[in-house]
Amino acid sequence: MVSIKLATPDDSAEVAALVRRLMDEISERTGSAAFRLQEPESKCRRYLENGIYTVLLAKTADGRTIGFLSLCESHSLYADGPFGIIQELYLLPEHRSSGNGSALLDEAVAVARDRGWGRLEVCTPPLPAFDRTFAFYGRNGFDIAGGRKMKRLL
């Protein structure tokens, strides 16, 4: 099993490298190269320094980072106040299906409770290529909230 550590700005390079792997995997599964990653390391550092981005790192016993989960706070009337959004969750493929993702989610729930958030939300693409991801979140207590995530690039 892994240990979960709160990332600091000094972990930005590791986080950025994992984000790149996540985006590559999503692009491969969807056949789309719609992600514009420009300076993810410096942005990650800045977001962590400003406290607007929380990153949990999954570490092996020998200190290797094998995955991460990122959280951001949002606010809405429908959620009755502040809540957390899981922006990214990624584990190296060889470390999946062994409880590591659930460990990251458990720690995210603890962070959410500490911050007084009433809920956590996550979005998975409504595509067959992400059925396992969808099932993973369901096994970890997430319910369908409705809708599909959409974007408009600016």
Side-chain angles (χ1 to χ4, degrees):
M1 193 53 109
V2 297
S3 61
I4 308 300
K5 171 192 174 244
L6 197 59
T8 69
D10 290 338
D11 297 310
S12 296
E14 279 186 303
V15 174
L18 290 170
V19 168
R20 282 189 186 94
R21 290 189 67 160
L22 171 63
M23 298 301 102
D24 289 347
E25 189 172 316
I26 291 171
S27 293
E28 182 180 308
R29 285 189 190 185
T30 62
S32 171
F35 299 102
R36 300 182 298 186
L37 291 179
Q38 297 176 7
E39 302 179 24
E41 185 178 335
S42 62
K43 287 178 183 168
C44 181
R45 176 175 288 281
R46 189 170 65 249
Y47 296 166
L48 288 168
E49 287 172 346
N50 293 335
I52 61 171
Y53 194 59
T54 299
V55 177
L56 304 171
L57 300 174
K59 298 255 186 193
T60 61
D62 63 359
R64 289 181 303 117
T65 300
I66 60 162
F68 80 104
L69 181 151
S70 65
L71 293 165
C72 290
E73 182 174 287
S74 190
H75 299 82
S76 75
L77 297 175
Y78 78 81
D80 198 28
F83 66 99
I85 298 174
I86 296 172
Q87 298 291 0
E88 299 120 349
L89 189 158
Y90 181 77
L91 282 165
L92 297 174
E94 63 271 22
H95 293 280
R96 297 176 188 168
S97 299
S98 57
N100 297 322
S102 294
L104 280 165
L105 286 177
D106 289 346
E107 188 62 26
V109 167
V111 168
R113 287 186 174 133
D114 286 347
R115 294 181 180 181
W117 297 344
R119 66 197 289 157
L120 277 177
E121 293 186 359
V122 66
C123 183
T124 63
L127 303 168
F130 295 93
D131 285 348
R132 287 186 66 212
T133 303
F134 182 79
F136 163 76
Y137 284 111
R139 285 191 309 274
N140 282 278
F142 285 78
D143 298 318
I144 296 173
R148 293 183 176 171
K149 184 176 183 178
M150 299 177 78
K151 69 179 176 205
R152 179 175 173 177
L153 297 178
L154 304 175

